[in-house]
Amino acid sequence: MLKYVNDYKEDQQETLNYDTKESTWYHWLLLNRPLKLVIAFLILAVITPVLLYQFLYFSSVDLAPGDGLSIGSCLLPRANRLPCGIGDVNASDCHPQCCYDLINNFCFHRFPSRFSFIAYRNWTENIILQPRIATVPFGQNSLPQIRLSINETSSTHLSLMFYNPENLTVEGNRLDEKNYTYVISNPELQVVVNGTNGTIFNTARGPLIASNNIWEMSFILTNGSMYGLGEIPLKENVTKVLYNYDGGISSVPLIIAKSYDTYHGLLIDIKDPTEVRVHGENQIVVRSITTSGLKFHLFVGPSPKDIMNDVMSLIGYRNEPEYWMLGAHVCSELPQTRSTPLKDLKNFLDEAAEANLPYESHCGIGPIVLNDNECDPVDDDRNKGADAVRSSGKKYIPLVSPYLRYEYSVPENETSQENGTLTKLDDKCSIASQYEDYILQTILQEHIKGDITEIREFYQGLVENRTVIYPYYENVTEDFMQQIWKYDFKVDGVILHNAWPLDESLKNHNDTYDILPYFNEDFAVAFNNTPQWNITRSNRDLYVNSHNEYGNFFANAFKKISGETPIWATSNRMTADLIVNRQSVDTSWTNLQRELVQAALGGVSGQWLWASPICGDTENFNRTMQIPLCVKWYMAATYMPMIKIHSKNTRRDPLSFVGTNRANIIAALNNRLRLMPYFYTTLQQGPLLRPMFYQFPLSANLTDLNTQFSVGEDLIIVPNLEPFQTRVHLWIPPGQWFEMWSGLPLIGKEGELVTMTTTEADLLTLIRGGSIVVIQTDTRTSADDTRLFAEFSLKIALNCIAVEIEHTSICHAKGMLYMAKNTTLIFEANSKEVRITLEGDSTPFCSTSQQTWSRNLKQIAIYGLENEFNNMDNHRYLLFSPPVNLCELEIREHIIIQYFT
């Protein structure tokens, strides 16, 4: 070893010889760098939220009320914040139990919300729920008590009703076997309903507010897609007002929610004006201007069809429609002088006959306003118009409004020319002067306390610059209806027009904002063209609380004089007994798509009979710019449940078009008649126009689509909904599909997106492999004449399954034609033949005295055969001469037709 090494060791030992002391814990903390980083991170994690809370959000109450219940947090993602009260208010107006966002000036609920109701023991029907907070965010006191009633209606349907026990008492039903369970938590109320596949309703500890004229509740139905309220899908930030008005929702307020591969539904059963808004994370907030409470129906499903059936058990089933009702109905409200309406009507009837225009009915010389026929300057023409319509072989279906003409409001110096003589209209045409004693004092005063001045003040309105009054139709007698309906002509149906009812008088909503605890622009739009919300009835109930039922009352009253006549109605609530008549639809490409969506959702909500005005029905129509839109609207209307053509200000009936446009429109109406046997058959079992989520609930790529629709079980349409669109995008449904008229097979896998060419004269229609659709090609000018005289044709779309062992395919298809309650034709086909069987009675197509249907089958087209068996490009075509006589089924069990002979 080197000497220097030992010397170095000795030097080192001498150098390191010093006194040592024990280190303290804080020295260890200060000298441990990793630990310092951890501590700094923890301090920031605690302080940062506190600073955020202090400078971005604040609540004037730092601690929860001294009740030992939840404190709640203000640290919520912006999308999850539910507005507390109006929401967009100054900090000083935000309720002290809510949070306030200083940056966005937004008042919102904590989570959990402090606005809840408390149950001090386990829930039963008789448990009183008390408010946790004595005041509400709308500047009022909370109701001191409410109750919750749960009614188990069926194994798949239950209802939740939150109500004020001072007004009524409700006792819910209980079932032993059901497909749902529910949990009512206490002391802070929370309601959770579970179906067989998970939670279908959860109040999620959101706000529940009950006060005078304002109730509010929030809940979550699913974390998946939702459909309803006129939207496919129902998206975040959508707001809907449930109040009957021009532009409002026509169908029952049903929301269908998808959760994985199952569906469940919620129907909002509140008769008072109600706002429904979808917030982030599918939170739904319902606010209602009500004094009675909130009621919701829940449907377990698990399919959309199951939900629809449960809804129809609630709102009723529409009786079988008469065949002619599925044809086109024409009406006109064109600006006219008093001397021309009858002449214009006769000109239209003559021109329609010359052009072979297919349609079923006309509304005559124009809408009827109920009054004394002796005072109506055009009353004689109205009778003549009804006779003219019937003489042309068409049905007469007038438009009737619910209000009574109070007087003619004629501007100064305005005169009416009649029979070449100028006469000034005076008070002899006042409904008040004719029936003041009977109508005003006897009928109306039954519903209002006070003198006649009060009646006139509360019941007067304005329609087309004329003063009208609004009877309350809930309990009127047949005698009263006969007094206001003195027309001798017979009606084949009636359209109850403006039945919200309409009131065009100017409304000043400044007082409304001050009086109602919650009122906003959405409600203002709904209230603008309806009677003043705060008029009162005899029991001092506000008009606003019965407005949504006005249309039903009017329809029921009209039945006293019309009997079983079909009724179209622009305003109804929770009933399938009336045909939905859409009104006040502006002409636009957006509205064309919206009407298709509305009709599809209305059908799967239980309202199968639905009429939408082709090309709109308002004054918003530009003939120069919107002709292509109107032509496409006529084509899309081919597949709507019902058809209405309503001209206002400018004609938009088929005869107002010329050249190719007129030809395409008439072709679309004839195409409607061709397909009507299939439509009529479909409507015996389900809705006609259907959303894709209803028809293909398990196809994930299809359920949110609002650009293609199923028509019954066997057809799909893909309308081109943009100007000059030459291509459409189609998501392929399950199964095999063919182009309806050519038989071209659709190539691709389920869920794939394909692009197909279309034209201005075409609407892409597909037929399902495995189906047989019955049509009538040689159409006439009415539905009844077509079904009686036009020969049948079959579109057979085979579904072929390859059998690898035998190197062949097994093909099949099936369809039916419903003729009457006791008569149905069944069609079954394979790759070689089609078999026709009769179920029931042959009278509708064989009886010489009672025949209503054709008896002849003229042609067949078979899609899906191997190419070598086709005699056309994509199908085999068979033409029978003479036609196959279906009356052979009176003596034969089957008629068998072979493709190859």
Side-chain angles (χ1 to χ4, degrees):
M1 178 179 293
L2 293 176
K3 172 181 180 299
Y4 300 105
V5 173
N6 292 328
D7 293 340
Y8 176 76
K9 289 182 177 180
E10 292 175 358
D11 293 340
Q12 285 291 94
Q13 290 175 357
E14 182 177 351
T15 303
L16 296 175
N17 189 17
Y18 58 85
D19 295 334
T20 61
K21 298 181 180 179
E22 292 185 4
S23 61
T24 63
W25 62 271
Y26 54 84
H27 289 135
W28 182 77
L29 289 177
L30 293 173
L31 295 175
N32 192 318
R33 180 173 297 178
L35 186 59
K36 285 194 293 184
L37 292 175
V38 172
I39 293 174
F41 177 79
L42 291 175
I43 292 174
L44 288 174
V46 173
I47 293 178
T48 300
V50 174
L51 293 176
L52 287 173
Y53 184 86
Q54 180 66 31
F55 294 106
L56 297 185
Y57 319 114
F58 79 89
S59 170
S60 55
V61 176
D62 293 328
L63 298 176
D67 52 15
L69 302 177
S70 62
I71 296 176
S73 172
C74 292
L75 296 177
L76 301 173
R78 185 171 300 169
N80 291 6
R81 300 175 192 167
L82 301 181
C84 183
I86 297 176
D88 297 318
V89 296
N90 296 324
S92 59
D93 296 323
C94 184
H95 193 283
Q97 299 295 338
C98 292
C99 309
Y100 194 78
D101 184 338
L102 290 169
I103 293 179
N104 297 288
N105 299 322
F106 185 68
C107 181
F108 60 97
H109 284 281
R110 295 171 176 266
F111 180 79
S113 174
R114 291 183 180 175
F115 294 92
S116 180
F117 276 78
I118 308 302
Y120 290 104
R121 55 193 177 93
N122 291 337
W123 172 84
T124 64
E125 289 276 336
N126 298 319
I127 286 292
I128 294 295
L129 305 174
Q130 298 177 341
R132 182 183 180 191
I133 306 298
T135 57
V136 299
F138 301 99
Q140 295 189 144
N141 292 327
S142 178
L143 293 181
Q145 59 183 23
I146 67 171
R147 283 182 180 172
L148 165 62
S149 175
I150 299 180
N151 187 47
E152 300 172 3
T153 305
S154 73
S155 62
T156 56
H157 170 201
L158 76 156
S159 65
L160 309 173
M161 185 173 182
F162 301 83
Y163 67 97
N164 184 350
E166 292 184 359
N167 298 332
L168 74 162
T169 300
V170 181
E171 189 68 32
N173 184 48
R174 295 293 174 267
L175 299 175
D176 294 330
E177 297 183 3
K178 47 189 176 287
N179 297 336
Y180 50 81
T181 59
Y182 46 86
V183 178
I184 314 299
S185 301
N186 67 313
E188 294 179 78
L189 183 69
Q190 181 179 5
V191 181
V192 178
V193 181
N194 296 303
T196 54
N197 294 302
T199 300
I200 63 173
F201 179 88
N202 189 350
T203 56
R205 307 195 71 181
L208 173 57
I209 293 170
S211 185
N212 183 34
N213 273 332
I214 179 67
W215 286 58
E216 176 182 322
M217 184 176 182
S218 71
F219 50 84
I220 296 173
L221 298 179
T222 179
N223 58 2
S225 296
M226 297 188 294
Y227 317 94
L229 305 182
E231 303 289 335
I232 300 175
L234 185 58
K235 296 181 179 179
E236 181 180 339
N237 295 325
V238 169
T239 300
K240 301 290 182 178
V241 171
L242 307 183
Y243 194 73
N244 291 331
Y245 70 102
D246 50 345
I249 298 172
S250 299
S251 62
V252 295
L254 173 69
I255 300 174
I256 297 177
K258 180 184 179 185
S259 180
Y260 300 103
D261 291 334
T262 64
Y263 294 77
H264 54 276
L266 176 134
L267 192 152
I268 302 170
D269 188 0
I270 306 172
K271 66 181 181 66
D272 305 295
T274 301
E275 176 191 79
V276 183
R277 182 173 177 83
V278 182
H279 292 267
E281 301 298 325
N282 282 357
Q283 299 177 98
I284 298 175
V285 175
V286 174
R287 286 177 173 171
S288 183
I289 302 175
T290 182
T291 57
S292 57
L294 306 175
K295 185 176 182 180
F296 307 99
H297 298 272
L298 283 167
F299 310 102
V300 174
S303 74
K305 184 176 182 180
D306 295 325
I307 297 169
M308 180 192 70
N309 289 335
D310 274 338
V311 173
M312 294 178 72
S313 295
L314 179 67
I315 68 173
Y317 289 82
R318 170 70 197 177
N319 292 331
E320 174 188 326
E322 297 181 46
Y323 196 79
W324 64 267
M325 293 165 58
L326 303 183
H329 306 280
V330 182
C331 196
S332 176
E333 286 187 88
L334 299 178
Q336 299 164 330
T337 64
R338 296 187 188 276
S339 60
T340 63
L342 180 59
K343 180 180 179 181
D344 292 345
L345 172 63
K346 290 182 176 179
N347 287 340
F348 173 85
L349 296 174
D350 291 341
E351 188 179 355
E354 184 178 349
N356 290 322
L357 178 67
Y359 71 107
E360 305 303 315
S361 74
H362 199 284
C363 69
I365 66 172
I368 295 175
V369 176
L370 299 171
N371 69 347
D372 178 25
N373 60 355
E374 295 179 0
C375 283
D376 191 344
V378 296
D379 180 66
D380 186 52
D381 284 354
R382 200 177 300 281
N383 285 312
K384 292 178 180 178
D387 292 339
V389 171
R390 282 206 189 80
S391 296
S392 66
K394 303 301 177 181
K395 310 287 186 182
Y396 176 56
I397 304 181
L399 272 65
V400 180
S401 297
Y403 34 79
L404 308 182
R405 188 172 293 148
Y406 184 65
E407 64 182 354
Y408 284 107
S409 298
V410 181
E412 188 176 356
N413 299 325
E414 183 174 328
T415 58
S416 171
Q417 183 172 0
E418 211 166 358
N419 299 325
T421 304
L422 293 176
T423 57
K424 185 176 179 63
L425 297 174
D426 55 29
D427 282 342
K428 75 176 183 179
C429 286
S430 166
I431 186 68
S433 65
Q434 296 291 318
Y435 293 120
E436 183 172 49
D437 288 342
Y438 182 78
I439 294 177
L440 293 181
Q441 295 181 355
T442 304
I443 297 297
L444 296 182
Q445 198 161 5
E446 290 181 2
H447 303 282
I448 290 185
K449 295 178 180 178
D451 59 21
I452 203 73
T453 303
E454 185 180 6
I455 293 174
R456 291 176 178 174
E457 176 185 353
F458 285 160
Y459 276 81
Q460 284 187 14
L462 196 67
V463 177
E464 295 180 350
N465 294 321
R466 288 176 172 172
T467 305
V468 297
I469 56 176
Y470 305 92
Y472 191 48
Y473 286 99
E474 182 177 12
N475 296 310
V476 296
T477 64
E478 182 178 349
D479 183 38
F480 171 70
M481 295 303 297
Q482 294 291 350
Q483 288 286 345
I484 63 176
W485 178 271
K486 287 200 169 183
Y487 299 103
D488 297 328
F489 47 70
K490 176 182 178 297
V491 297
D492 299 292
V494 64
I495 298 176
L496 301 184
H497 197 59
N498 297 328
W500 303 293
L502 176 66
D503 176 13
E504 296 175 325
S505 60
L506 293 177
K507 309 293 191 307
N508 185 345
H509 294 303
N510 292 335
D511 292 340
T512 305
Y513 282 97
D514 295 334
I515 297 172
L516 290 176
Y518 180 68
F519 190 77
N520 60 11
E521 293 181 358
D522 295 319
F523 278 125
V525 170
F527 283 21
N528 276 339
N529 286 334
T530 54
Q532 183 65 27
W533 69 274
N534 57 352
I535 59 179
T536 56
R537 304 298 184 194
S538 60
N539 56 6
R540 293 303 178 183
D541 285 343
L542 293 177
Y543 167 81
V544 72
N545 299 126
S546 61
H547 168 83
N548 277 339
E549 297 182 302
Y550 193 97
N552 287 13
F553 295 155
F554 180 43
N556 292 333
F558 203 87
K559 290 177 183 177
K560 297 179 185 296
I561 56 175
S562 66
E564 298 300 319
T565 298
I567 294 179
W568 285 252
T570 57
S571 174
N572 63 71
R573 176 180 179 271
M574 297 289 288
T575 177
D577 187 44
L578 304 173
I579 302 167
V580 175
N581 182 71
R582 291 280 293 162
Q583 186 184 334
S584 300
V585 177
D586 286 336
T587 308
S588 69
W589 288 96
T590 299
N591 278 346
L592 168 55
Q593 181 181 16
R594 182 173 291 124
E595 290 303 299
L596 287 166
V597 170
Q598 289 260 16
L601 286 174
V604 301
S605 299
Q607 295 173 311
W608 295 355
L609 300 186
W610 184 286
S612 180
I614 295 179
C615 203
D617 64 341
T618 67
E619 298 177 0
N620 179 29
F621 177 56
N622 185 316
R623 284 198 58 83
T624 304
M625 301 296 296
Q626 295 180 317
I627 288 179
L629 166 59
C630 280
V631 174
K632 190 59 63 175
W633 207 317
Y634 270 94
M635 293 179 186
T638 297
Y639 303 91
M640 295 283 280
M642 306 189 81
I643 294 181
K644 184 183 72 170
I645 304 165
H646 193 128
S647 297
K648 189 171 186 178
N649 189 47
T650 305
R651 285 182 61 180
R652 60 198 83 184
D653 61 79
L655 301 182
S656 65
F657 299 85
V658 296
T660 303
N661 293 319
R662 178 189 283 195
N664 288 337
I665 287 173
I666 292 179
L669 293 176
N670 280 320
N671 196 37
R672 169 80 174 193
L673 291 179
R674 294 170 72 188
L675 289 165
M676 202 172 291
Y678 171 72
F679 294 165
Y680 186 64
T681 300
T682 296
L683 283 168
Q684 309 306 316
Q685 300 175 332
L688 184 62
L689 195 68
R690 309 174 181 187
M692 298 301 283
F693 75 81
Y694 176 91
Q695 195 61 34
F696 306 101
L698 301 181
S699 296
N701 290 339
L702 305 181
T703 52
D704 287 357
L705 291 181
N706 57 17
T707 55
Q708 64 190 61
F709 303 88
S710 178
V711 182
E713 297 278 346
D714 301 329
L715 300 181
I716 283 179
I717 59 169
V718 191
N720 37 352
L721 299 172
E722 295 180 5
F724 310 110
Q725 184 178 351
T726 58
R727 291 180 176 86
V728 292
H729 303 296
L730 164 71
W731 294 88
I732 299 179
Q736 176 65 62
W737 294 86
F738 304 88
E739 200 280 323
M740 175 67 176
W741 307 112
S742 70
L744 177 69
L746 187 63
I747 306 300
K749 297 180 180 179
E750 176 186 342
E752 284 186 352
L753 179 65
V754 297
T755 301
M756 302 190 72
T757 302
T758 185
T759 68
E760 291 298 309
D762 183 32
L763 190 75
L764 180 62
T765 306
L766 305 175
I767 182 172
R768 179 180 62 85
S771 65
I772 300 176
V773 172
V774 183
I775 64 176
Q776 290 178 289
T777 54
D778 187 18
T779 59
R780 305 298 197 270
T781 58
S782 73
D784 282 337
D785 282 351
T786 297
R787 72 168 174 171
L788 178 59
F789 298 113
E791 295 169 316
F792 292 118
S793 175
L794 301 182
K795 296 289 185 182
I796 301 175
L798 295 172
N799 180 34
C800 296
I801 302 174
V803 181
E804 296 183 2
I805 298 177
E806 300 179 6
H807 302 288
T808 186
S809 298
I810 298 177
C811 302
H812 73 278
K814 188 172 183 178
M816 61 183 292
L817 172 60
Y818 176 89
M819 291 182 166
K821 287 184 177 180
N822 297 318
T823 306
T824 301
L825 294 179
I826 305 297
F827 302 87
E828 297 176 285
N830 55 34
S831 59
K832 297 180 180 180
E833 63 186 25
V834 58
R835 179 188 300 252
I836 308 173
T837 306
L838 170 64
E839 289 188 356
D841 181 15
S842 64
T843 299
F845 61 95
C846 291
S847 171
T848 56
S849 60
Q850 303 179 52
Q851 182 182 358
T852 54
W853 287 86
S854 172
R855 65 183 61 170
N856 295 324
L857 174 62
K858 182 177 182 179
Q859 55 189 354
I860 295 178
I862 308 103
Y863 304 155
L865 292 171
E866 297 290 339
N867 288 334
E868 60 185 289
F869 300 117
N870 293 335
N871 55 14
M872 304 295 285
D873 287 342
N874 297 292
H875 63 279
R876 184 170 187 84
Y877 175 74
L878 303 178
L879 179 65
F880 306 116
S881 181
V884 176
N885 187 348
L886 298 176
C887 286
E888 292 181 19
L889 291 170
E890 288 187 308
I891 59 175
R892 296 168 55 183
E893 185 177 357
H894 308 290
I895 294 177
I896 299 176
I897 302 172
Q898 296 183 343
Y899 310 148
F900 315 102
T901 55

